[in-house]
Amino acid sequence: MSKERLYLFDTTLRDGAQTRGVDFSVEDKRNIALALDRLGVDYVEGGWPGANPTDSAFFAAPPALSRARVTAFGMTRRPGRSADNDPGLAGLTGTTAPAICIVGKTWDFQVDVALEIPRSENIDIIGESIAHLRSKGREAMLDAEHFFDGYKANPAYALDCLRAAHGAGADWVVLCDTNGGTLPHEVSRIVSTVVDAIPGIRLGIHAHNDTDNAVANSLAAVLAGARQVQGTLNGLGERCGNANLVSLIGTFCLKPDFADRFETGISEKALAHLTPTSRLLDEILNRSPNKHAPYVGQAAFAHKGGLHVSAVLKNPKTYEHVPPEAVGNERQVLISDQAGKSNILARLRDVDIELDPKDSRIDRLLEEVKEREFQGYSYDGADASFELMARRVLGQVPDYFFVDSFKVLVERRYNARRELVTVSEAIVRVQVDGHRMLSVGEGNGPVNALDAALRQDLGKYQSYIDDLELVDFKVRILQLGNGTAQSEAPVSVDRWQAGTGAVTRVLIESADKAGNRWSTVGVSANIVEASFQALADAIVFKLYRDGAPAGTGPAE
Amino acid sequence: MSKERLYLFDTTLRDGAQTRGVDFSVEDKRNIALALDRLGVDYVEGGWPGANPTDSAFFAAPPALSRARVTAFGMTRRPGRSADNDPGLAGLTGTTAPAICIVGKTWDFQVDVALEIPRSENIDIIGESIAHLRSKGREAMLDAEHFFDGYKANPAYALDCLRAAHGAGADWVVLCDTNGGTLPHEVSRIVSTVVDAIPGIRLGIHAHNDTDNAVANSLAAVLAGARQVQGTLNGLGERCGNANLVSLIGTFCLKPDFADRFETGISEKALAHLTPTSRLLDEILNRSPNKHAPYVGQAAFAHKGGLHVSAVLKNPKTYEHVPPEAVGNERQVLISDQAGKSNILARLRDVDIELDPKDSRIDRLLEEVKEREFQGYSYDGADASFELMARRVLGQVPDYFFVDSFKVLVERRYNARRELVTVSEAIVRVQVDGHRMLSVGEGNGPVNALDAALRQDLGKYQSYIDDLELVDFKVRILQLGNGTAQSEAPVSVDRWQAGTGAVTRVLIESADKAGNRWSTVGVSANIVEASFQALADAIVFKLYRDGAPAGTGPAE
């Protein structure tokens, strides 16, 4: 049985660009458009030519896409103008965009209040604007603004607006849930009604996530007869975002009820670029990717708990709704305090340590992990510390340098100008190959000062760490109890002061010029000590990975 | 027409606690349970007693909830044991939890492969376990694990499993989409079938967000006949999260298709706490709230663009699907300070400061709050600091003591016994009524030492702070961008070292013997300085509240 074609329309560069804090450059837009084209999206809405210099520049020299159609966004003609004589429409047809999408009103209330023209005139505007685009040889689409609210208020009028577009030759009529308040069961019902009421109309859906249902609304519309789906990468968009095209693509391509019935422009091979494409947008926006994003999040296929993990490894479909590699993602096995042997083995494999399951050192490693997790360490976000810990147990990490002692001073006082200042200084005594060195550093806080001192002079290792950068620093206060149990009551100040209560976990992320990134962890009741551990691990990990020679040991 | 009752079941503390990086303390769990109770949730699943020390401690002394039922989670009895003789079930009935939810298998494949017992035995296990809970007088629920996958594989067997629970007197049978791969149209169909097949069964839905449809799946289940909905605050949960109870509550309470037909335990007044409750979880997790979260996100009702804004102000329903204040959120309109002003007034009222809306000091307060929030302060979780800040602007807080300077030293070295030790000492110079005093303190970390020194001797104020206890201490590293917006982006080491990037926010919760609790905040690039601010505010707040006499000012 041949499949029906389902068209994907990306509006990351137009509606997504409306998001507060998002400010694409022309180059950003070109890069995103090219990535969407490689993925196999059918339409890439680049912006609104004439609305701002970036969008005009984008359409003046659109990227050469291999299959996706660059789409320009605009409005229906103004009241009182002919379509031929409308500057807005002329701006659109003046571009080379093969497809043009114009927004028009379909809610009687909006026509009365916002446009303040007779309702019949609005219908004429829609029809004439679409006809004009068609006459210029463009693929013509109507974005029916507020369609669902309009339909609920006055179904006959809302349908008449769609009929005007369809009658004028619109290639697509896109039903927009502009406020995002429509629920899936309503979308199902209303789209079905439109399909029945206007035979031959080709419908699209444009959903927003204000009730957390943008993806479900899009799916409901497709099942009811829509064949074009508009959305954005990662659900970018104002307020609560647009429909997340990444989630939709996963479902359209991998879920039998859709994949067996519909065909999109996305090949199996391109689908494996879904995760990198999603991450690219975050990279351009300089955001941390959402770890919990469906299909493409770092945690989307993460498994925790020993029993569970051995079940996953035995038969992934037990706990994974789709194979992670299909979307270019990967399974993650977490080390947790329920860590089983199979967790450890899987986790070692992740950091390229292959051990025979019968190797007796695995039990020692497991003990070490449990002991450390009991102390408050968490290796979930600290791969480099995990790898170092494992390789140390396996005797693979040489000694490089020794920190004999450190001292950190934080002082708040009035300076000579009677200004209140807080200063931080650190002194580190370190040995490299038996040579003792004294380093000092200052910073805006104790950890910062310690980091500066530690990296001021590491002798023969200095060249290895010159390009090391700290890119993130996180602190978490844990409340661990005495003995084997976690605390059973609020931690009183006595316990807090006695050092048996709160423990600090520090996570540090480091990077180097080659683009490597690694994370390390430190735990102590003392935040400075915890930070020191994570800083030292960050340096040792780089020395190990870059093959620095071993040191000769301490002088005494 | 009387409405049908719809029950809300929160599993933030059980299934949500499975999330990577989430590590609730007993105190965290109690605070969240109390907030859920205030909101009006029906069931608060606190964890799995016996599975780990935190959960056992929680159930050993459960919080006193006014209406929500504390629910314990566990498993059906083990194969080969009688229910009366099963240690797992005994652990559950050994708690005082009025409701108990046990997970059982309903997918034939899982019974064959994971349990490796005859399928009929699994059915017996379910029935006997539920009957046992009922015989102990508890409300008994079955979490039907992998139900949707099980139903698709072998509908007759999956239904037989449910029948066993229902026949044994289960108060609720909860259909779990354990892998999160089921789509809304499938949920509709399958739940309807179950309703028809097992008359009288009371169904719940437990959805995960692996296809971005957890909320839609929950809605679909309710429309098909489920009357209990399980979810978590902010959709917390492993992989892509559980159904977001916050989004669901917004829809159940505000959308006519649900609100006209169903009644939940959430009053109109409690609904206005939805936003603070959502933010509280982020505060406890030390996370930045999702700005784009449906209903409760900071940007959920943000409007951009002049025309659009005036349309919103003229008639909010044009661009807002629900009124933001109904869920305790607020409209964000860039051109108007009106929202800010009423917000400030509302927050002042929360701390019992009544001001005339025309009072000119409100503008000064608003400026102060904006300036401080720009610096990184957040008063959401620090009521005492907010109240102090406001009362200071209003000239109501006297001077008590003055800290001239402090010095904190952290040293790591080998002691006389050649053990590696890290010590922290602090010296504080403080004036009370013109008397200069020098206090020293030591502790397990720099903040702890500073706290000890600060409270060692406050002269005539000492008796006021003798019973002051620090009960919680939280640190968050903020990455402030340039301009006015916060940024979630990684900060490079240059900015980090230059002190223009990362800023530390410290939140301290204090308590006294009378049972009062208050929270204070400090912000600085230096964690010790930030902690000092929060510690000092904690002391001043107690002096103010307890009516301590003013000091006579500094000596010079």
Side-chain angles (χ1 to χ4, degrees), chain A residues 17-20 107 109-110 145-146 179 181 183-186 209-213 215-216 219 223 237-240 244 247 251 255 257-258 286 288 292-295 298-300 302 304 314-315 317-321 332 334 380-381 403-414 422 424 444-448 451 455 469-479 484-488 490-493 496-499 502 505 525-529 532, chain B residues 17-21 23-27 53-54 57 107 109-110 113 145-146 179 181 183-186 209-213 215-216 219 223 237 239-240 244 247 251 255 257-258 285-286 292-295 299-300 302 304 315 317-321 332 334 404-414 422 424 444-448 451-452 455 468-475 477 479 488-493 496-499 517 525-529 532:
Chain A
Q18 293 300 306
T19 315
R20 228 171 142 170
W107 186 359
F109 169 83
Q110 283 268 80
E145 193 186 9
H146 287 300
N179 290 1
L183 297 172
H185 68 281
E186 300 175 301
N209 204 38
D210 297 73
T211 69
D212 228 347
N213 283 302
V215 162
L219 297 178
L223 291 175
E238 58 181 335
R239 302 194 316 274
C240 307
N244 188 340
S247 301
T251 293
K255 293 294 183 176
D257 282 6
F258 287 92
N286 208 9
S288 298
H292 301 285
Y295 294 103
Q298 208 194 348
K304 192 170 168 178
K314 233 194 302 188
N315 196 323
K317 84 163 183 173
T318 319
Y319 288 95
E320 287 174 355
H321 72 115
Q332 279 213 337
L334 307 183
D380 278 358
V403 174
D404 286 335
S405 67
F406 67 73
K407 212 179 271 190
V408 179
L409 178 78
V410 178
E411 189 173 4
R412 186 208 223 208
R413 54 179 162 75
Y414 289 91
T422 306
S424 299
N444 58 18
V447 177
N448 198 201
D451 177 49
R455 299 202 281 137
E469 281 193 12
L470 289 177
V471 290
D472 201 7
F473 176 75
K474 285 199 167 69
V475 178
R476 199 173 158 77
I477 309 296
L478 310 171
Q479 285 168 350
T484 55
Q486 283 200 344
S487 85
E488 305 201 351
V491 176
S492 80
V493 69
W496 198 65
Q497 287 185 338
R505 182 196 296 155
N526 189 318
I527 188 176
V528 177
E529 166 67 22
F532 171 78
Chain B
Q18 294 300 308
T19 315
R20 185 171 186 178
D23 191 15
F24 292 127
S25 68
V26 178
E27 192 59 20
T54 305
W107 186 0
F109 170 81
Q110 284 267 81
V113 170
E145 192 186 7
H146 287 300
N179 290 0
L183 298 171
H185 69 282
E186 299 175 301
N209 204 36
D210 296 74
T211 69
D212 228 347
N213 283 301
V215 162
L219 297 178
L223 291 175
R239 302 194 316 271
C240 307
N244 188 340
S247 301
T251 293
K255 293 294 184 177
D257 282 5
F258 288 92
L285 293 173
N286 210 1
H292 301 284
Y295 294 102
K304 191 173 167 177
N315 195 323
K317 84 164 183 174
T318 319
Y319 287 96
E320 288 175 354
H321 71 116
Q332 282 212 333
L334 299 175
D404 286 334
S405 68
F406 67 72
K407 213 180 270 191
V408 179
L409 178 77
V410 178
E411 188 175 4
R412 186 210 223 208
R413 55 177 162 77
Y414 289 91
T422 305
S424 299
N444 58 18
V447 177
N448 197 201
D451 177 49
R455 298 201 283 136
L468 186 154
E469 281 192 12
L470 289 176
V471 290
D472 202 9
F473 176 75
K474 284 201 165 66
V475 177
I477 308 297
Q479 285 159 355
E488 309 281 321
V491 172
S492 81
V493 69
W496 198 66
Q497 288 185 337
R517 281 179 172 247
N526 190 318
I527 187 175
V528 176
E529 167 66 23
F532 171 78

Side-chain angles (χ1 to χ4, degrees), chain B residues 337-389:
Chain B
D337 269 345
Q338 267 333 100
K341 200 159 178 172
S342 49
N343 179 297
I344 275 277
L345 283 169
R347 280 163 83 180
L348 289 172
R349 231 169 285 127
D350 284 346
V351 295
D352 292 324
I353 303 178
E354 279 291 346
L355 283 186
D356 188 299
K358 295 193 187 81
D359 193 317
S360 64
R361 294 174 301 180
I362 293 171
D363 290 329
R364 268 176 52 215
L365 256 171
L366 199 52
E367 281 310 301
E368 181 77 17
V369 169
K370 278 185 181 166
E371 172 58 26
R372 295 210 153 217
E373 291 191 336
F374 175 77
Q375 289 167 23
Y377 286 81
S378 163
Y379 292 109
D380 279 355
D383 279 347
S385 282
F386 177 74
E387 183 175 344
L388 279 181
M389 188 271 303

